[in-house]
Amino acid sequence: MTTTAPTESPGREDRQAVIDRYRVEREKRLRPDGNDQYVEVAGAFAHYVDDPYVERVEREPVTDEVTFAFVGGGFSGLVAGARLKQAGVDSVRIVEKGGDFGGTWYWNRYPGAQCDTHSFVYMPLLEETGHVPTEKYAHAPEILDHCRRIGHHFDLYDDALFQTEVKSIEWDDDAARWIVRTDRGDAFRAKYVGLGTGPLHRPKLPGIPGIETFEGHAFHTSRWDYDYTGGDPAGAPLDRLGDKRVAIIGTGATAVQCVPHLARACRELYVFQRTPSSVDVRDNQPTDMEWFEREVAGEGWQKRWMENFCTLQTGGFADDDLVGDGWTDIARRVRDRVIAKATDGITADLLTEAFDDADFEKMDEIRARVDEVVDDPATASALKAWYRQLCKRPTFHDEYLQAYNEPGVTLVDTDGQGVERITPTGVVVAGREYEVDCIVYASGFEVGTSYQRRSGFDLTGRDGRTLAEHWDDGMRTMHGIHVHGFPNAFVVGSTQAGNLLSNYPHNLSEAGRTIATVVAHAEAEGAERVEVTAEAEQAWVDLVVGSPMLFPGASLECTPGYYNNEGQPIDDRARQSFAGYPGGPVAFFQFIDAWRRSGAFDGLTFT
Ligand code: NDP
């Protein structure tokens, strides 16, 4: 094993030593190629995105007309579809590349997959569908089932097109309709379109020299090959790996969840690490239904929980911490410090100091936990995360660190440099080849590439102008949803809106409500077109770009990753795609709620 020299966690009095270490570790990892280091899953690598879960079903092309067509059958499409149906829009067609609803949860069926934000706030439409998650952090099969439940509950299956990739969407201004074309030969019309293809949906591979030469078996975690590994998404042992030497490349949130399963099953497991994740306590628990009925159930319970989590997680104050987990823990620590010290009111300096203190304390604990759990001191040292907690997606797990105590498991730390080379027979780090039968790429998803590259289509709006052209200098929207020149079209995401990263579906829920409210109003008014004005779009872009409210992980002082443009300077163009509402998520959700309720629809024209 190659590791950095063991370094113990400095105590709080050694704050400067920690800051210096953060800088050293970050600088090791900076590379000039930034996002270009990754290989696009295309050409010779295209098979990495084949659907391993269902057979292709042939069907006739559709050429009809629907009221609303939505691209993407994940949480975005399901929530928007549900809200549209509730608002009385019956004709909703979801077009989805996968063989069923689910999006992320359709594709990511790797062993151990589960949500890492409390299911009560993470899984949408619980109250509406009557489902109570069985665990604090539900596992992937339950979440996928819930997606299907939403689909059935709101009759979204009736008109859905699965295994279908949109190829183009064009605005016909005379007819005031969109024409949607797909890879199945469909050419149907829609009065409105929604785009919800997700921020992390296109797998990427590391640009490791020789990656194309490997002659063993290989797959990406988002297309788990159970035929090869044995087992199933419900957790059955990976019983075909008993005689296999397996490499997993990447140690992000996905690897943290699947490594324990591989560790139990493989003859030998080599975990290739560039940057360790911070791994906090998970403490998953089954839902106590009596407690739920007694303490939680009641009209509006899920909204209450989501708002409470959002408030606490983004530095706000609330009487109760309903979720009470690792996410809200840091907020609690900040709050307690502020209350203790705020004798003369709350100042920005006080907040910064409280945040810094809480963060250093938290990361000290997370590093200390590694020593407590991992037997081998060199391995423990290499597993310690030297950056602020929100620089990378924080992870929570009670079996990941323990996996390194299994006899067949080796951590191959690359000291921030990444894997050196892949050969026909194995993986090379620091000149040593680790021979393996299989490589599992836990290398994440494209972020920061163009919308068109990730989605595989472009939108052509009024006057033949494409969305790619309109966004050439950076994303431009009002509320993250409406785009000038693209009437009756709605973008669903988090940027230029709430930008709540800890509970991404909260952004999607709000977007779904907004779309349904706008469409219902347009229909009630008999409008053919609804469009944001150029002035309103510009004013919104100015507002979000002019604000300092980038999420903490986007700081260039952070270790490189997709949160901060791989450590590359964030130019105006990139900033537009990172930016959120100035006051943060809570302020945005309050703003957009008031905007919807006002009925004035400021910034939009209905004609
Ligand atoms: P990530 O992008 O977080 O991780 C990719 C990993 O691959 C990193 O450890 C990265 O190292 C490593 N890597 C990249 N290139 C190389 C290389 N050349 N050599 C060695 N290692 C390399 O992807 P994940 O799939 O883990 O997670 C993506 C996101 O999906 C998460 O951030 C989270 O938002 C979401 N997710 C959510 C879950 C949930 O809610 N339950 C579960 C899993 C994922 P480095 O860090 O140095 O770049």
Side-chain angles (χ1 to χ4, degrees):
M1 189 181 72
T2 55
T3 63
T4 45
T7 311
E8 294 316 308
S9 302
R12 289 200 45 227
E13 68 280 8
D14 296 322
R15 171 92 48 102
Q16 191 54 46
V18 176
I19 293 170
D20 290 345
R21 180 79 192 260
Y22 285 5
R23 196 187 58 252
V24 168
E25 294 294 335
R26 172 182 178 276
E27 284 169 3
K28 265 184 209 171
R29 290 168 172 81
L30 278 177
R31 36 191 295 167
D33 51 1
N35 237 326
D36 293 336
Q37 67 182 283
Y38 296 104
V39 174
E40 186 178 1
V41 180
F45 299 102
H47 63 279
Y48 277 93
V49 288
D50 289 349
D51 186 341
Y53 310 122
V54 290
E55 294 294 323
R56 182 181 161 98
V57 178
E58 298 303 331
R59 64 167 174 81
E60 292 300 311
V62 297
T63 54
D64 56 355
E65 177 163 330
V66 295
T67 305
F68 203 107
F70 198 95
V71 189
F75 282 175
S76 303
L78 290 166
V79 172
R83 296 294 180 213
L84 283 161
K85 293 268 178 157
Q86 284 180 323
V89 180
D90 288 331
S91 168
V92 177
R93 170 173 293 156
I94 294 178
V95 186
E96 165 56 48
K97 185 170 60 175
D100 202 342
F101 291 128
T104 287
W105 299 100
Y106 176 84
W107 296 110
N108 286 280
R109 304 185 190 193
Y110 57 83
Q114 66 184 135
C115 60
D116 59 9
T117 309
H118 197 307
S119 338
F120 285 15
V121 299
Y122 181 82
M123 292 167 70
L125 299 166
L126 289 173
E127 206 171 333
E128 290 80 352
T129 55
H131 180 66
V132 180
T134 61
E135 297 177 279
K136 187 168 180 179
Y137 304 98
H139 280 78
E142 179 172 345
I143 306 175
L144 181 56
D145 276 351
H146 184 60
C147 291
R148 295 174 177 138
R149 178 179 298 111
I150 296 170
H152 288 299
H153 189 91
F154 292 98
D155 297 326
L156 294 168
Y157 275 99
D158 296 351
D159 222 348
L161 298 178
F162 294 115
Q163 300 186 315
T164 302
E165 281 189 53
V166 169
K167 286 292 161 197
S168 70
I169 305 183
E170 256 177 82
W171 177 248
D172 174 349
D173 201 42
D174 294 335
R177 292 291 181 271
W178 290 98
I179 303 163
V180 182
R181 293 195 168 80
T182 75
D183 66 345
R184 295 296 193 115
D186 307 312
F188 66 89
R189 289 172 175 267
K191 182 168 180 185
Y192 308 94
V193 293
L195 309 181
T197 50
L200 293 169
H201 96 282
R202 194 166 166 78
K204 69 185 183 204
L205 293 172
I208 300 169
I211 184 170
E212 71 290 350
T213 66
F214 184 62
E215 289 172 0
H217 197 71
F219 56 88
H220 188 272
T221 46
S222 67
R223 305 289 188 277
W224 194 272
D225 188 349
Y226 283 103
D227 283 345
Y228 181 84
T229 64
D232 62 31
L238 308 173
D239 56 5
R240 294 187 190 153
L241 294 180
D243 59 349
K244 298 284 190 293
R245 299 159 305 172
V246 176
I248 179 164
I249 298 182
T251 49
T254 298
V256 165
Q257 295 185 338
C258 65
V259 158
H261 294 258
L262 288 170
R264 283 194 283 273
C266 302
R267 188 180 101 201
E268 290 168 28
L269 175 67
Y270 297 97
V271 184
F272 290 90
Q273 171 180 274
R274 188 164 71 178
T275 309
S277 279
S278 71
V279 189
D280 203 353
V281 172
R282 159 99 299 169
D283 198 19
N284 196 16
Q285 290 151 20
T287 304
D288 174 345
M289 285 307 292
E290 279 179 23
W291 161 82
F292 176 84
E293 291 301 336
R294 199 177 57 243
E295 306 279 337
V296 181
E299 203 185 330
W301 77 261
Q302 190 176 23
K303 190 164 182 289
R304 248 189 338 273
W305 273 64
M306 286 169 73
E307 288 175 354
N308 178 265
F309 178 75
C310 180
T311 300
L312 291 175
Q313 214 284 305
T314 56
F317 293 81
D319 289 341
D320 298 314
D321 179 356
L322 297 174
V323 163
D325 70 356
W327 285 106
T328 57
D329 180 46
I330 190 153
R332 181 187 56 72
R333 292 173 193 231
V334 173
R335 195 182 55 225
D336 290 351
R337 283 179 163 79
V338 169
I339 291 168
K341 291 187 182 174
T343 42
D344 299 324
I346 298 172
T347 62
D349 283 349
L350 177 62
L351 282 171
T352 306
E353 190 189 321
F355 182 78
D356 282 354
D357 284 352
D359 191 64
F360 283 109
E361 180 184 85
K362 184 72 177 174
M363 289 306 287
D364 266 357
E365 287 174 16
I366 286 174
R367 287 186 287 264
R369 181 177 184 233
V370 183
D371 285 328
E372 282 159 25
V373 173
V374 178
D375 296 339
D376 175 53
T379 305
S381 172
L383 284 166
K384 289 178 189 168
W386 292 100
Y387 46 80
R388 286 166 175 262
Q389 194 190 22
L390 298 179
C391 280
K392 278 195 179 285
R393 173 87 183 181
T395 73
F396 307 90
H397 214 283
D398 296 335
E399 291 171 34
Y400 173 73
L401 295 170
Q402 290 77 352
Y404 292 96
N405 297 334
E406 298 276 344
V409 180
T410 305
L411 175 72
V412 185
D413 182 56
T414 65
D415 196 20
Q417 302 310 297
V419 168
E420 191 176 305
R421 205 154 34 91
I422 292 179
T423 68
T425 49
V427 181
V428 179
V429 170
R432 172 175 169 194
E433 179 178 13
Y434 297 81
E435 285 196 4
V436 291
D437 303 298
C438 174
I439 300 178
V440 180
Y441 290 104
S443 45
F445 302 86
E446 286 194 13
V447 179
T449 52
S450 75
Y451 187 88
Q452 292 68 26
R453 170 167 150 173
R454 280 181 283 132
S455 309
F457 67 91
D458 206 347
L459 201 66
T460 307
R462 226 170 359 86
D463 307 324
R465 186 172 163 81
T466 65
L467 195 58
E469 288 163 350
H470 190 64
W471 285 358
D472 199 28
D473 292 329
M475 184 176 173
R476 303 180 57 77
T477 69
M478 182 178 84
H479 306 165
I481 294 180
H482 315 279
V483 187
H484 181 65
F486 298 82
N488 298 5
F490 305 90
V491 179
V492 178
S494 68
T495 31
Q496 302 197 351
N499 232 0
L500 179 64
L501 281 189
S502 54
N503 189 23
Y504 195 78
H506 195 149
N507 304 291
L508 311 179
S509 292
E510 291 296 327
R513 282 181 200 277
T514 304
I515 292 169
T517 308
V518 170
V519 169
H521 181 72
E523 293 296 287
E525 296 285 299
E528 282 296 313
R529 294 172 174 80
V530 49
E531 186 178 346
V532 59
T533 65
E535 297 73 29
E537 184 190 78
Q538 185 60 48
W540 190 259
V541 171
D542 291 343
L543 179 77
V544 293
V545 171
S547 91
M549 189 63 204
L550 290 173
F551 57 90
S555 163
L556 286 180
E557 289 170 9
C558 278
T559 191
Y562 78 81
Y563 275 12
N564 71 347
N565 200 26
E566 299 294 337
Q568 299 299 310
I570 299 178
D571 59 16
D572 288 350
R573 191 179 188 287
R575 190 177 170 78
Q576 261 170 250
S577 306
F578 276 111
Y581 187 69
V586 172
F588 176 76
F589 297 144
Q590 284 168 353
F591 161 83
I592 203 69
D593 188 49
W595 183 89
R596 285 190 303 253
R597 282 175 197 278
S598 79
F601 300 101
D602 284 344
L604 298 184
T605 55
F606 295 81
T607 52

